[in-house]
Structure formats: C-alpha cells, structure tokens
Amino acid sequence: MQVRHNRIYRFVSIILIFVLTMSIMTGCSGKKNEGAKDTPVSPETSTEGNEEIQADQSDKPITALPLDTVMMTVNDKSYTLGELMYVIYYLEEEFSSTAIGYEEQHGIDFWNDIMDEATNETGTDLARKSMMETAAMLAVLLPIAEEAGYTCNAVEIQEIEWDADSILAGLNQTYLDRTGFTKDNLVEIIKKFTIVNKYVQDQTEQQKVDKDKITATINAKDEKYKQVQLEYIFLGTLVPDESNRETHIGAEETTALLKKAKTMLNQVKAGKSMENVYNQICTDSDVNIYYTEEAILDSELEKEMVRAIKSCKEGQLYDSLVETDKGYYIFRLVSNNATDAYENAVAEAISDAKSEAYEKTYEKLISAYSIVYNQENWDKLVLKKYAYPEEEDTSGMANDSEFFDLSGLTGDTEIVLPDDTAGGDDGSVG
C-alpha cells in the first residue's frame, strides 16, 4: 500500500523535526484499546470504530473543550488543555503552513488526505498525534534540561516576549477566550519550548556516529552532485501576472533590458567588478535583476548556459550575453568542480544519523515514564480552530481597528504592542 509520508515537510524546530520524524518513521506503536477512555503511549490513530470523529472536523461547529480538561498524565501528573494549548496552537500553525504547500503541490486537501493507507491515518490524525507526542516530550525533557542548567538568555527572552506580543495581537477576543492565552503564560511556555529545543539540539549533536563510514556511502563523483560555481548578473524577462503566473515582459521593456545588459557586460569586460557594476546601474525598482555568486547543479542549468560554460575556462568571464527563455546572463566561471552539493549531502547524512541515534536514546528514556493520553478528549479536539480562523469564521476575527485605535495616526506615530492581555489559565507545561 502506498504511504504518503514522504510528502510531509519537516519543520524548522528541532523538537518538531524529531517528533514528526518519529510519527512518520515509527508510526503508532501502541496496542489498540477500543472503548477505553485513556490510551497509553503511543497516541492511537486508527479510525476503526471512530468514523464520525475522523470525518472532516473543520466543518463541524466549534464546541471548545474547557481549558481545565485533562488531556494527558505523565507519571500521574495531569496536564490540562490550557497547559498544552501553546503546543496545539504552534503545531496547528505549522501544519497549516504544511497544508498550503501540500495542496499546492498535490491538489489534495492535506487535513483529510490519507497519509498511510494501512492505518487510514489522515493529515489531521498526524497533526493530532504530533501534538500529543510534543506535549509528552516537553513534559519529560523540561525538568531534565533545567536540571542540566539550560535556561533562556536575555536575547532569547526579549525575542520570546516579542513572539508573545505578536501572537496576542493576531487573536481577537473569541480566540483569546478559546486558547486562554495571556502575555505571562505565553512567555513562560515559549521559554520552556526554547529550553527543551536547546537541550535536544545539544544532545543530538553529541551523539557518536561513524562519520567516515557515512561519508564513504556518498559518491562525490555522482552526477547528481556535479556543480559549477558561477558569479553572475541575471536580468529576467519573466514577471508574475495578476494570477501569479510567469509571463514575458513586453517588447519595449525587453529592448530596454537588453540595452542595460549590454552596458553592464561592456563595463565588466572593461575591468570593473561585476558586483560594482550591478550596484551602480541597478536601482530598487529593478526587481527582475540580481547579482550573486553561487554553486549551481548541472541539472539545474538552462541548456544555453551549459553550452556557454563548456567553452569557458575557470576564472574566465564569458565575453557574450547568454540569452535564455528566462532572461540574460552575464557570468564568470569561478569553478568547474564546486563541491557544495556533495558536502551538504554528507553533512545531512551525518545529521540524520545523529538524529536517529538520539531518537533511540529518547525512546529508551521515555519508556521509563508512564504516559497516558485521554484519547476521548483528544478526539473531541477540533483542529484548525486555534491558530487561524477559517474563512467561514472570519466574522469573529478582529480587524486592525479593533486591536489598535488607528484614528489620527500620522507617518510619525509609533504603534506599541500591548504588554499584557488579561484572562485565561496558566498555559504552561511542566
């Protein structure tokens, strides 16, 4: 059966990479316990006997669980919805971004698409399971990290406070009531996220792996790693139209662009640096022109560029413009054998091996804990209702004037985000 896990995008956060990787690679390891109120590790994801819950919950009216609803226990310590709300909010926001890219690429609704045909696990199931496992990870690792001396420094605390202000400014009273967010509880839980994130990063980096053995598995001469290093100016002849589709600029604009390209090439040939020529001739309005030096895979080069590079020696400026369907290139061949792709592949393989090693360490650690998820309450949790309002729900979302009094503002007026927002529960984990 086809498993679509490879379609899922990884998150930036080390914590979320780890949790999502575990969800994708190991799946649900818990035994099925039909009819039980509480479910031991791992979170149950089977849809058998639960069809109504597994239906598209985004279309159901919101029946928010009380924030004091117990969602899980770790070693007999209970954690309520309010205490886990930031985990839910954060992951819902991340999965919402994933869903946009997924739907653009595959034309399928991420939340209801089957991720694993063997278990009928949907995107919604995957998101919910990641929330559960992330909450457990924070509860388990936070005291360990704090005991090891991990804290947030002054710069991190300032950024955390900005994050909290940004979140609060983006939520109207309906969403503030639903999440229970306040400035204080947001700052505290984001601090805990940061501490655990730093701890996991360090623990992952410290894992012992055989780097030589890993490197030996990657062939530096493989065609997929073949690159050239180019310094170039690109003048593009394609611009987005109203539908955001690329379309060619008009004949008059193309003529003007070609004239500018020839002027720039002549100045570079006269001995001026390519970067200086770009800075002197181009302005902020020239959004379709840019200068850079980078390694490019041979497979990504346009055919006209491939031909031109073959006739060029390392260090040499190509003495003509290269015209392609996308625009004009002025380039210098810096190196015919760039190694960035190969080095990145090695670094990624080593990083993956360290992550896998830490996953095993974490699995061994967490097996010593009694973690019980209240599956009945998690199944009642309607997703896509915390981070972003749905289109049909926008009537409850405040506009800018409801958050800020915009009357009488001038160009010199400073807008200051609120320092605090009243209401809600503790909002912390640990």
Side-chain angles (χ1 to χ4, degrees), residues 132-145:
M132 297 162 75
E133 292 182 347
T134 302
M137 175 180 278
L138 284 169
V140 169
L141 294 184
L142 179 64
I144 296 174

Side-chain angles (χ1 to χ4, degrees), residues 227-235 264-265 268-269 271-279 290-296 301 305 308-309 312-322 328-336 338:
Q227 290 179 299
V228 292
Q229 183 84 13
L230 299 179
E231 179 190 21
Y232 66 93
I233 296 172
F234 176 70
L235 302 90
M264 296 173 81
L265 175 61
V268 175
K269 290 170 71 173
K272 292 185 178 180
S273 79
M274 201 176 292
E275 185 174 9
N276 284 343
V277 168
Y278 169 78
N279 289 332
Y290 63 87
Y291 161 84
T292 190
E293 180 177 332
E294 64 177 340
I296 304 176
L301 290 167
M305 284 293 289
I309 290 169
C312 216
K313 295 180 180 179
E314 286 191 353
Q316 181 182 357
L317 171 72
Y318 190 68
D319 62 3
S320 302
L321 289 176
V322 179
Y328 304 100
Y329 287 89
I330 300 167
F331 81 90
R332 184 191 314 278
L333 178 61
V334 178
S335 172
N336 222 348

Side-chain angles (χ1 to χ4, degrees), residues 341-361:
Y342 167 72
E343 291 169 359
N344 290 340
V346 171
E348 184 176 355
I350 292 172
S351 177
D352 287 346
K354 288 184 175 184
S355 294
E356 290 174 10
Y358 182 65
E359 284 173 24
K360 293 177 182 178
T361 300

Side-chain angles (χ1 to χ4, degrees), residues 166-184:
S166 177
I167 291 170
L168 292 171
L171 298 174
N172 67 5
Q173 194 59 49
T174 297
Y175 282 79
L176 291 173
D177 292 342
R178 187 177 296 167
T179 59
F181 285 162
T182 68
K183 174 71 173 286
D184 288 342

Side-chain angles (χ1 to χ4, degrees), residues 388-400:
Y388 293 114
E390 293 295 282
E391 289 185 7
E392 67 271 17
D393 203 23
T394 53
S395 60
M397 189 65 189
N399 56 36
D400 291 340

Side-chain angles (χ1 to χ4, degrees), residues 106-301:
H106 303 289
I108 304 171
D109 175 54
F110 165 82
W111 299 97
N112 296 306
D113 191 20
I114 301 297
M115 297 293 130
D116 188 341
E117 293 178 359
T119 62
N120 283 335
E121 183 180 80
T122 65
T124 297
D125 297 324
L126 180 60
R128 185 182 289 112
K129 185 168 70 173
S130 294
M131 291 170 183
M132 297 162 75
E133 292 182 347
T134 302
M137 175 180 278
L138 284 169
V140 169
L141 294 184
L142 179 64
I144 296 174
E146 289 179 328
E147 187 176 348
Y150 284 80
T151 60
C152 292
N153 59 42
V155 173
E156 289 167 337
I157 290 173
Q158 180 65 73
E159 291 175 348
I160 287 168
E161 290 180 349
W162 289 338
D163 286 345
D165 285 334
S166 177
I167 291 170
L168 292 171
L171 298 174
N172 67 5
Q173 194 59 49
T174 297
Y175 282 79
L176 291 173
D177 292 342
R178 187 177 296 167
T179 59
F181 285 162
T182 68
K183 174 71 173 286
D184 288 342
N185 66 32
L186 274 174
V187 167
E188 286 308 306
I189 186 56
I190 299 174
K191 280 182 184 177
K192 293 171 182 178
F193 249 72
T194 303
I195 289 169
V196 174
N197 190 46
K198 290 164 69 173
Y199 174 79
V200 172
Q201 280 183 311
D202 287 348
Q203 290 297 307
T204 301
E205 184 57 35
Q206 292 167 16
Q207 296 300 306
K208 303 296 184 183
V209 297
D210 191 335
K211 295 182 180 180
D212 291 338
K213 185 177 180 180
I214 293 169
T215 301
T217 65
I218 301 173
N219 183 6
K221 296 182 179 180
D222 193 311
E223 285 296 316
K224 65 183 177 183
Y225 301 128
K226 186 167 176 51
Q227 290 179 299
V228 292
Q229 183 84 13
L230 299 179
E231 179 190 21
Y232 66 93
I233 296 172
F234 176 70
L235 302 90
T237 55
L238 296 177
V239 293
D241 63 13
E242 294 179 355
S243 302
N244 210 30
R245 291 175 298 189
E246 287 189 331
T247 182
H248 281 277
I249 59 178
E252 188 174 325
E253 293 170 296
T254 301
T255 299
L257 190 68
L258 177 57
K259 182 178 179 181
K260 181 175 288 189
K262 289 178 178 179
T263 299
M264 296 173 81
L265 175 61
N266 287 335
Q267 291 192 17
V268 175
K269 290 170 71 173
K272 292 185 178 180
S273 79
M274 201 176 292
E275 185 174 9
N276 284 343
V277 168
Y278 169 78
N279 289 332
Q280 290 170 8
I281 292 181
C282 296
T283 66
D284 291 342
S285 63
D286 292 312
V287 294
N288 58 330
I289 305 176
Y290 63 87
Y291 161 84
T292 190
E293 180 177 332
E294 64 177 340
I296 304 176
L297 289 167
D298 284 11
S299 59
E300 295 177 354
L301 290 167

